Amino acid sequence: MSTADKHQFTITEVEKMYQHEILSHDERIELIDGELYVMSPKNPPHFITQRNLFNFFFKHLAEKDYLVDREIPIDISRNSMPEPDLIIAYQREGLQRDEYVQVPDVVLLVEVSDATLSRDLESKKELYARADIPVYWVINIPQQQVHIFSDLYKGDYGTAVSYKKGPFQALPFDFPITFDDIFPKI
């Protein structure tokens, strides 16, 4: 199938598909660069890692300053609305009422990855860098690694660091995090 044979969806079109029940609200999808992706089912290592990260950052960050949340849509562009596993954003009144998180709100995005590792390390990393997301983490569950991308420069991350053990700095914050804070207990 050529690119000309594909329809590039917009956020508005996807929202209308939900309204008209073309897409079920139970169906887990995300819109990336105009394409709809079915999100993988969550297995215990995935949701335990996601919960551990949420609990860690929720304990370390002031709720009045930061929103710490899981799997909420981020309005990146008219044709991209990913739902990362963890988001940390600057707190503002609209986020407590009826607004999507916007790119300038974002402090850190995290993808917890097992089945989607190559997409998280490639196309999602590129999407987040183009959108000026300041810091992006990929938690590689099978290999017990943490990949941190930071220092944006001309639409790409200038720094990429992978950790196989900890503790390490919980960028962009100035406190440490350990592998016990992230991964399920063995």
Side-chain angles (χ1 to χ4, degrees), residues 15-45:
E15 287 174 343
K16 285 181 182 176
M17 286 191 283
Y18 279 119
Q19 289 170 358
H20 296 289
E21 298 181 357
I22 296 167
L23 291 173
S24 166
H25 287 283
D26 296 336
E27 195 169 4
R28 297 185 62 243
I29 63 161
E30 61 183 347
L31 180 64
I32 306 293
D33 289 332
E35 294 185 30
L36 293 174
Y37 289 91
V38 176
M39 296 169 68
S40 300
K42 305 246 183 275
N43 58 36

